[in-house]
């Protein structure tokens, strides 16, 4: 069957390949014309030989996605369906759907997980939309999803797909941070001699076995002390939105929030907050402060022991 | 080969069975004589037909384990080995090992993971001790561990096994809490219609797939809204020790600590801390407080909106 | 001088009184006509004998404030000024100001702190707006603020007042929670015999002395064990917005967020998240779960000690 | 009256001065003989002209204090009293007291707060010990404490003084972190133009007014952007012990723990935990990682927006 696919980056490019392997005809568009099958959205829409048309948008969340959906609203027709497979905030979905509905165009949101492994293993799909619209996209979902009984869910009405994906990512942040804190403690305490070996052993039989653990073991096999990597971690929007939605619903999420904040901290060369704490200690206790630009002395590294405190 | 096994509860009983299935001769002792093979530790030690003897202790951490190890120190001989497979704090291991070493008895600590699934799938083992002592226990480790390349590690000297297991459990707390917070947000927001379905879909292709996720899906299949379960969660010592060791080594562990604190909170009928906060709000803002024993009114449930605040 | 004041609740009522004591003429309006000086906003506006008019809005944040500002936009004239003294989100201020500016009406946002103590001690004021508009309100700020050099700041342009007040409240949450956690530890450990006495002693000479501490001491004098109060704590919008703004700016705020989440938890009869954790422990370890509606047994209360864990 | 004082550093030196101003005779000893009144502990004990003798120990917590108390046990006599005024862990107190009790020597623990301001304002004192022993030290407590009704408490038996001081410091960490996070948000958001001015305004009439706030305002007057200070913060033992005691008593202390962890993080050049998180993101998403030693690019700084995630 025919599908339009907009955005052929790391995710979209692999998805085109997986769809083609399943026998589908993919009309791919990308700003980078070298990798595109057509030269414009108009050409993409015109290239379909049958209807209704299904067009999958796989571009960065925010304005790029919103703008693409608007443009598709100009080009598509009654009965066609747009799928937003990007990492959009779920609150965008209703707006997009309402906009397209004015012309009778359907809208489906799809949270997609799997990263660079999706081409081989399939992409997990969390889908939101009306049963009618979802049905039109179903053949492509079947091609993209992993084999077997899992990896696909029609989670609810428009927005439910991206909401599920957002929470998925929030959980992911928490799990990654849990492993990371445990890893740091193992290395800091130096009671265990073979830290990568311990993590590898956990891959079977333990409560903490998971795909993320497998990946961490991989990473440690390549670089046993993570010497070549900096502890600098970006965040995508979904971790932030998870906390905001939790706040909206008065759900306590201490672990998910701590994971996000650890990423924020990892990107700071110096922390204004901790400058303020250091300034306060200096004010009340005469504690030496480390001047900006000055290396910490051995004495600074100590924990307990100051005679003077508060 | 022959092994003594002390403690035949949920863990020890299944381990005896798995060892026997592998062809070993297990001499089991338990306070509950109905399930024991011998009537005392003396009988257990005397029942061995060869030496060196290996005796595996699988009783509650703390005094029960310490007392058992001491008693074995009286009964065993030079060259024998005691294995502590319980959830002891790793700081106990050096003490136990030194005590036994006075008589030439070896000591190995083994962190054991796998719960009630271990009988079938094997037990993950994290082992600490000298190569010589570990070698004497190796045949039994082989029988207990899962098949394949994982699920066993000789993590380092005495204490390293329990340390690795402690960190494993700390990570476990964090992962469980991450799933739990995500689950609560999914249910609270009510954007997703089929929460158990979403979690089930995550079992393939996603970043958050894991054995714990599989278990959570199982639990939701049995009780889709967890109606029959109370949000009351105990903690074992290992979560606590993980935080204490992190503090000893100045390792920031916000996620692991938050997970432990969430369990503490879950066991409080009322929080003295939050009484203090409510009292403070009442003092400065004249905010109505909910009296002890009084049900919260609808108005109390509201979030933003008070005219008077601080 | 003349000022209109809309909203005569706990805050507005006291502010009218403080303004009058300072010699100002206050034209007060409230939905509750018994306490109002005029019967409608129209009457309020018409009651002024001079111009420009200053009208202070002191109603709940959100729709009530937004609606009131809109209505004032219909009634006031070029050169008049509206002050929003409520707990509005700072993002509302620009919208309000732009709306009023179309008719030449000025807008000033004022974060007001002081609660029920403001009548006597004065209200701390954090003000946002153009110098010209702020100048028109200055005589009333002088009457409302505490005596002395503090308690008033022109923090910046429109929105800066409410932003400063929002952060003030976020800090307040963190401070209250810090005292509360310390208080709980003092009571739980039972090493200190006279907990209220310890807190009282802290009121001079210590690093933790503060007005909030004074209030906590007051509360404990009235009810030494806080027996008559439930650990149930509402939150106003400002604590939530503080976290959201921190996320917007990638500022790590673990303490402020933990304080908010503690309030969320305090309002839950049972925690869906902790149900999920309990369900997980049950799945992997055969840990007994406490059934809904069932009292926890003594055994449930224990900390470390389970033989079987993960 | 006569008192021996051991340890004449920043705290002890000022305390000697305050005691002398109150008319007491202080026999001071320090390892630094230039500031000492006597050349050894033996000389100190012999210099008393009356009995019972009161000797106040003001040296670093841990071995220095424990060793000094032991040595005093050799030198003092039945009826004399040793005061530990340092920042010892409260669990040391019972050991010290029992040791001294063998010779009939009394023991009192005194948590002392006030830092470099204590000489002028007085030192807040939290005292543990028997009424009889506390009475012997009372004249010196009176001289050291602030004037007025506050700043002194006999908190309970031996250990209660240091326990109260420990909790005091735990709360202090939380309060400092709360201000610091709010400060960072104010500076990061740049909605408020005059951040020091806002904090200064809070010194009267607000809920967050406190001595710590006064100190922060002082610090910002000296260095408005804290340019000359590094966000590097040590911790003394008491913050750590507070968390450990909270864990011992199953008291949830998310705010106090987060404050401690923020200090740990502030001292790390690079975070092993965040290296692990970065490695994981790289594994599943092909996210570029920042290499060790490499500056972050502008692209790394972005929040939301990656096409590929999980």
């Amino acid at each position: 069957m025919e599908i339009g696919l907009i955005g052929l980056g790391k995710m979209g490019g692999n998805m085109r390949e997986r769809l083609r392997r399943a026998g589908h005809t993919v009309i791919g568009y990308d700003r980078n014309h070298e990798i595109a099958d057509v030269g414009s959205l108009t050409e993409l829409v015109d290239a379909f030989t049958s209807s209704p048309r299904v067009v999958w948008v796989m571009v960065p969340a925010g304005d790029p996605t919103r703008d693409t959906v608007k443009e598709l609203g100009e080009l598509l027709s009654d009965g066609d369906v747009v799928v937003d497979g990007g990492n959009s905030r779920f609150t965008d979905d209703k707006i997009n759907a309402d906009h397209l509905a004015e012309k009778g165009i359907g809208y489906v949101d799809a949270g997609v997980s799997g990263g660079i492994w999706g081409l081989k293993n399939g992409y997990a799909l969390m889908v939101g939309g009306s049963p009618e619209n979802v049905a039109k996209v179903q053949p492509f979902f079947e091609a993209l999803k992993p084999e077997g009984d899992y990896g696909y869910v029609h989670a609810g009405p428009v927005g439910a797909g991206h909401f599920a994906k957002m929470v998925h990512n929030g959980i992911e942040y928490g799990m990654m941070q849990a492993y990371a804190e445990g890893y740091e403690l193992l290395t800091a305490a130096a009671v265990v001699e073979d830290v990568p070996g311990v993590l590898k052993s956990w891959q079977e039989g333990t409560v903490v076995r998971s795909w993320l653990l497998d990946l961490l073991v991989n990473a440690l096999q390549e670089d046993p002390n993570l010497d070549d990597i900096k502890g600098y971690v970006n965040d995508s929007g979904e971790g932030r939105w998870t906390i905001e939605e939790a706040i909206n619903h008065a759900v306590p999420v201490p672990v998910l929030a701590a994971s996000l904040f650890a990423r924020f901290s990892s990107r700071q060369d110096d922390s204004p907050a901790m400058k303020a704490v250091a300034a306060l200690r200096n004010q009340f206790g005469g504690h030496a402060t480390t001047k900006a630009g000055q290396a910490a002395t051995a004495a600074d590294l100590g924990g307990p022991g100051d005679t003077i405190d508060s």
Side-chain angles (χ1 to χ4, degrees), chain A residues 268-285:
Chain A
Q268 296 187 316
D269 271 338
D270 202 357
S271 157
M274 300 320 285
K275 280 169 173 274
V277 174
L280 277 172
R281 291 188 90 221
N282 178 251
Q283 287 283 327
F284 68 66

Side-chain angles (χ1 to χ4, degrees), chain A residues 37-52:
Chain A
D37 304 314
V38 291
S40 69
L41 292 197
T42 307
E43 284 180 38
L44 180 141
V45 169
D46 290 345
F48 277 84
T49 62
S50 61
S51 76

Side-chain angles (χ1 to χ4, degrees), chain A residues 16 42 82 89 99 122 154 156 162 179 216 226 239 250-251 256 274:
Chain A
R16 174 170 63 176
T42 307
V82 172
R89 188 161 190 171
H99 175 76
H154 182 186
H162 278 137
Y179 284 118
L216 186 52
L226 302 181
V251 172
L256 306 190
M274 300 320 285

Side-chain angles (χ1 to χ4, degrees), chain A residues 18-273:
Chain A
R18 189 167 169 96
L19 285 162
R20 285 181 173 161
R21 289 182 190 171
H24 293 296
T25 301
V26 183
I27 309 158
Y29 171 76
D30 196 275
R31 286 182 311 177
N32 176 357
H33 288 203
E34 294 189 15
I35 56 175
D37 304 314
V38 291
S40 69
L41 292 197
T42 307
E43 284 180 38
L44 180 141
V45 169
D46 290 345
F48 277 84
T49 62
S50 61
S51 76
R53 304 181 194 93
V54 171
V55 181
W56 189 295
V57 180
M58 204 68 198
V59 304
D63 285 338
T65 293
R66 282 189 287 261
D67 292 348
T68 304
V69 169
K70 268 185 210 154
E71 200 174 342
L72 288 171
E74 304 297 314
L75 300 170
L76 293 172
S77 311
D78 183 38
D80 293 343
V81 176
V82 172
V83 183
D84 176 10
N87 283 327
S88 298
R89 188 161 190 171
F90 85 101
T91 44
D92 280 356
D93 292 317
K94 182 88 176 34
I95 298 165
N96 287 339
D98 288 350
H99 175 76
L100 294 173
E102 290 172 17
K103 282 191 58 183
I105 305 167
Y107 180 85
V108 168
D109 56 289
V112 179
S113 182
I116 55 177
W117 301 80
L119 174 57
K120 183 179 160 213
N121 298 341
Y123 297 91
L125 302 168
M126 293 142 258
V127 173
S130 72
E132 184 191 359
N133 286 325
V134 169
K136 291 179 183 169
V137 194
Q138 201 65 41
F140 310 106
F141 290 147
E142 295 299 325
L144 289 170
K145 71 177 280 292
E147 292 176 25
D149 295 337
Y150 309 105
Y152 173 83
V153 66
H154 182 186
V158 163
H162 278 137
F163 193 93
K165 178 60 168 33
M166 178 193 78
V167 175
H168 166 279
N169 281 32
I171 292 171
E172 172 195 315
Y173 279 40
M175 291 174 67
M176 289 166 79
Q177 188 68 22
Y179 284 118
E181 294 179 3
Y183 165 77
E184 179 167 339
L185 178 53
L186 284 173
T187 58
V191 174
V192 159
E193 286 177 346
D194 178 9
V195 172
V198 164
L199 271 70
K200 189 178 167 194
S201 82
W202 289 347
Q203 290 180 275
E204 274 302 327
T206 70
V207 175
V208 302
R209 63 190 190 260
S210 73
W211 189 60
L212 276 168
L213 178 66
D214 297 343
L215 294 181
L216 186 52
V217 170
N218 284 353
L220 289 169
Q221 276 174 332
E222 296 167 9
D223 182 3
N225 299 307
L226 302 181
D227 287 326
D228 289 340
I229 206 163
K230 211 170 172 172
Y232 181 103
V233 187
N234 277 315
D235 70 290
S236 63
E238 285 153 320
R240 299 178 179 210
W241 303 331
T242 300
I243 310 306
E244 290 177 13
E245 284 308 310
I247 290 174
N248 286 346
H249 294 281
V251 172
V253 287
V255 158
L256 306 190
S259 306
L260 181 65
F261 296 149
R263 293 186 176 200
F264 290 169
S265 290
S266 81
R267 305 203 297 264
Q268 296 187 316
D269 271 338
D270 202 357
S271 157

